[in-house]
Amino acid sequence: MPLFRPLKPQIDDPLIDLNKMTAVYDELIKDAKTAEEKAAYAAAFQRVQDDIEFMKHNLLRLQRVRDHDAKKNQNNYRLYQILFLGLAAVAAALGSLQALSLSSGDRQQLAIFAFLETLVALAAVFLATISGREPPLPRWLDSRRKAEQLRREYFRFLLNMAPYEDNNDVKRRMSLSERAANINRGVYPDESGLI
Amino acid sequence: MKTPTLVDRKHAELLYKLFDKFALDDQRAYYIDQVNRNRTAAAQVNVIRAIFAFLTGLAAALAGLIVLLSPAYCVPSTTGAELALLGAAATDDPSLVVTAVPPDVDTATESASDTVVSDGCNLDLVIFLLVLAVVAPALGGAFGTLADLYQWDRLVKIYELAADNLEVADAKSPIDSMTFEDYRITLKAYAEGTLAVMRDETAQWGQIIRTPESIDNFIRREQERVQTNVGNLPQQVQDAVKKELDELRAAAAATERRLQQIRDTFGITDVPPPPTA
């Protein structure tokens, strides 16, 4: 049974599960031969955790909201379309039955089918009116695009990829905050050819 | 605060492991899952459509056969005409035009409904088959539109292609024997390749999401129908409404004239002018 109302977004729900991340780190530590190597892994792990912690407020929060918005609008859009589809099927069946009763000359039956068909038409117009106020399709596509780009930005920042290659961590983090805010408002920074 | 990015080999190795597990592997699992789900859905809907098409043909053919094999008096002429149209039109058989009542029944007193329950007649079954022949294509058409709405077949292709491209990106994974500099450069190329696949997949996916044309046409048609059926009031009602409105306008104008006279009499000038009709 599909959920037409997605659950509320968990703002703190990380893209990378901390327990699973720790498991990866533990494996690396297990393979480390010297104390120096272990210390280097520990420092790297701490840096990654710091980055993830920083992104919680500056990026993840926005990503979660957009992701939820996309799911909600996707479900709304499909719900409306499926209702239209059901009405179209009923209208087609009623139209055919009307044609049959027309040939049989049963006026009462014909009138009932015509009335039912009008009801279907009214229901379709009602649905079209309520779905037209905030059309879910463009909102779905827009939110999904933003959520996916924010997700890619998350990994881009974590891996210190362009434009987050700066050795100055303040600049790097400010750049992330700015880019994430821009993506969230629909201004998409260039992603191609950053390497 | 200055913290060099990718300070050492261990940092790069940790990042590679994390990206590999939480970005690339997750994405690959997602693509494979989507391919399977979309393929299953497309196949299921295809079978349902085929069943409805089969039922349509079978119902029409069966109804025609029953009419052919039934005694002529079983079928009222009207239903017979429908069956002739639906079931056996292709045969051009004039014998399908059947009589309304049994030859031995008094046409003045016998109603058509009485013929439905006559012995040896299968009219209930024929009517059921007729309705089935009408409703089944409508339901089959609905499932066809559902396929247009969800675009399962096209999504399968997109996700399959993305999964294949992800393997190309994965092939650029850094290996342990590389020097730190090579490792660092390879890691970036590998991650950039993976993100590019994700970006392209999202762009392609966004392009195929469209409202099916048949639903758009249906909405437009139903709006026109409502305009025609409900929007046009009978002429008598329209005249009555027009008369009422004219009287209301006349009364409002008279009131306004009277108010203006009062203003002129008492020299009131700071009253805002009345709104124009």
Side-chain angles (χ1 to χ4, degrees), chain A residues 15-17 20-21 24-25 28 37 40-41 44-45 47-48 77-78 81-82 84-85 87-89 91-93 96-97 100 103-105 117-118 120-122 124-125 128 137 140-141 144-145 148 151-152 155-156 158-162 164-170 172-173 191-192 194-195, chain B residues 1-8 10-11 13-19 21-23 26-27 78-79 82 85-86 130-131 134-135 138-139 141-143 145-146 149-150 155 184-185 187-189 191-192 195-196 198-199 201-202 205-206 209-212 215 218-219 222-223 225-226 229-230:
Chain A
L15 282 178
I16 296 179
D17 182 73
K20 287 181 183 171
M21 192 170 87
V24 171
Y25 167 69
L28 285 171
E37 280 185 352
Y41 277 133
F45 188 65
R47 270 194 299 277
V48 170
Y77 170 71
R78 286 189 169 159
Q81 296 300 312
I82 287 169
F84 279 128
L85 210 144
L87 286 173
S96 307
L97 290 171
L100 278 181
S103 65
S104 74
E117 216 176 344
T118 305
V120 168
L122 284 170
V125 173
L137 178 61
W140 164 29
L141 296 180
R144 176 53 58 209
R145 186 182 177 193
E148 290 304 316
R151 183 162 171 263
R152 290 195 296 275
F155 287 109
R156 193 173 280 284
L158 206 62
L159 260 77
N160 304 285
M161 293 164 67
Y164 306 115
E165 291 175 310
D166 205 306
N167 281 344
N168 185 328
D169 210 37
V170 174
R172 188 172 159 261
R173 290 184 172 195
E191 270 192 290
S192 55
L194 283 174
I195 197 166
Chain B
M1 177 163 67
K2 286 223 169 197
T3 310
T5 59
L6 284 181
V7 278
D8 54 26
K10 300 302 172 201
H11 188 198
E13 281 178 11
L14 177 66
L15 289 179
Y16 165 64
K17 293 280 182 197
L18 291 177
F19 188 86
K21 186 170 175 58
F22 297 107
D26 270 7
Q27 205 64 26
T78 49
T79 311
E82 291 150 17
L85 279 172
L86 266 174
L130 270 178
V131 171
V134 162
V135 172
L139 291 175
F143 278 95
T145 313
L146 196 69
L149 176 66
Y150 281 84
L155 283 173
R184 193 182 65 81
I185 292 167
L187 173 63
K188 295 210 174 223
E192 197 65 62
L195 293 179
M198 289 157 72
R199 185 181 63 234
E201 173 262 309
T202 310
W205 165 88
I209 307 296
R210 295 275 181 280
T211 300
I215 291 185
F218 167 70
I219 295 169
E222 295 307 287
Q223 280 171 335
R225 189 194 300 278
V226 167
N229 290 0
V230 185

Side-chain angles (χ1 to χ4, degrees), chain A residues 1-7 68 71-83, chain B residues 149-150:
Chain A
M1 182 70 186
L3 273 178
F4 277 101
R5 282 187 185 173
L7 301 171
H68 176 261
K71 282 179 189 162
K72 195 176 71 182
N73 282 297
Q74 175 182 10
N75 290 355
N76 278 347
Y77 170 71
R78 286 189 169 159
L79 179 63
Y80 283 132
Q81 296 300 312
I82 287 169
L83 287 173
Chain B
L149 176 66
Y150 281 84

